[in-house]
Amino acid sequence: MVAEKKGKVVLAYSGGLDTSVAIPWLQDQGYDVIALTMHVGQQADNLEEIKAKALAAGAIKAHVVDLREAFIDAFIWPSLKANALYQGVYPLNSALSRPMIAQAMIWCAEREGAVAVAHGCTGKGQDQVRIEVCCNALNPDIKVLAPVRDWGFTREEEMEYAEAHNIPVPTTRKSPYSFDDNLWGRSIECGVLEDPWNEPPKDAYALTADPKDALDEEVTVEITFEKGIPVAVNGKKMKSFEIVDFLNKTAGKAGYGRIDMVEDRLVGFKSREVYECPGALALIEAHKKLETITLAKEVLKTKKELEVKFAEMTYEGYWFSPLMEAVNAFIASTQQVVNGTVRMKFYKGNGIVNGMKSDDSIYREDLATYSTGDTFDHGASVGFIKIWGMPIKTWRQAHKNENVNPMDHLLAGKTDADF
Ligand code: ARG
C-alpha cells in the first residue's frame, strides 16, 4: 500500500543504523526525506560518506553543514559566560548541542519548504524533549516526528527492516556504552555504568588520560579573555574552535576533565553519567577566576543565582525561552569588564588557576596589603564596627539576663588543670 503523500521532512541524520532506517520508514509514511548531517565537533566518520549513505538509503537530498563556529559563538560562549554547570558539575555539552541542532533543522526545513522535521531520539532520553521543545519554540507550524520512538521495532525487527531496505547493518559489535560528543565534551552512559558502585572501565574514556598514566610534567597555559570570551592562548591569538580544541587536547593529556556523577534527569529519574570535558572545565574554571577580580561583589552574587537558572534552562530544553533571553541579557552585560589573562597549571588530573591579571581588575593591592604601601584607613574601622555591630549589641542589651555563653557547658567536667 502506498501512503498518501505528505510532503517533505528534514531528518537529522547521523549515518547510524537508527537514522538510516528512519529514511525508508518515513517514506513508508508518505514523506520525501531530506537528510541533514550536522557537524558540531563530534568524532564522526567522513561526512561526505554519510551524505552518500543517506542518498543510498533513499533520501531525495542530503545536506552536510559545518556548525562548529556557530555552535561555539551562539551556544558555547554564552554558556561559558554563565559558568554553566548543571547541578554544579556537568558543563552541559550534550544539552547545549540540542538547541543548535533544532535551530539548523528548522532553518533547513524552512528553506526546503518541508512540513516536518524528524530526529532519531528514543522515547526515554531528554534529547527528544530538548529538540522538540526547541523546534516548536522556533516554528510551531512545523511538525516534529520521532520515528525511533514511534516505530515500535525490537532490535531484531529493526535489523530485518534494514536488510529488506538494503541498508547496511553494522558488522562490529555494538559498543557497551552510549556516547554523545562534540566540541564541549563527551557523554558516556549505559552498560556497567548504570550501577553507581562500578568504577568506570578504562575503555569508557577517549579524550582524557588516566591521571595515573598522564605526563609527569606540569603543563602551564595562559588564557586571555576579552568580554568573557577566550581569544588567545599563551599569548597567541586563536580562533574559538582552535582554543577549545587546544584545551581539550592539552588538559585531556594531563588527565584533567573527567566527571563521574549521578544527575537528576528532567524526565524524573536519576542517572549515572560519565563525562570528559577537559576544555570546557578548564575554560569555565579560568573564566570564573577572572570574574573574581573583575566583577563587583553584588554582581557576582546575583550572577551566581542566575547561572543556576541558566544551567537548568539549558538542561531542560528551555534555550529559546523568554526567561533565557532575559538571563542572557543580564549575563552579557556583566561581561564587558571580564578582560584579562589567567594562568592555569595542569598536572595528573588537576587543573589549578595560579595567577591572573586584568586591566579591569578591581583588586587593589594597596588596600589588601599588610606590608608597606597600605592605604586602607585603619582608623575608619572604629566607626564601621560601631554601626555594623549596633543591632546585635542593642539586642544583647535588651536580653541581658540570659546565659548565652556556652563555655561553661562546653567545659563541663573539666578541671582547672585542663586549662
Ligand atoms: N545526560 C546527558 C544529558 O542529558 C547526556 C546525554 C547524552 N545523550 C546521548 N544521546 N547519549 O545532557
Side-chain angles (χ1 to χ4, degrees), residues 90 92-96 98 121 125-127 130 178-180 187-189 263 265 271 273 275 315:
Y90 162 44
L92 296 153
N93 42 293
S94 292
L96 274 171
R98 297 329 189 231
C121 303
Q126 0 197 48
D127 292 327
R130 296 169 182 144
S178 156
F179 301 110
D180 179 59
S187 307
I188 309 128
E189 305 168 315
E263 83 194 17
R265 286 204 172 185
S271 170
E273 305 281 329
Y275 300 106
Y315 190 84

Side-chain angles (χ1 to χ4, degrees), residues 175-190:
S175 161
Y177 313 106
S178 156
F179 301 110
D180 179 59
D181 67 328
N182 61 52
L183 289 169
W184 209 226
R186 183 166 177 270
S187 307
I188 309 128
E189 305 168 315
C190 302

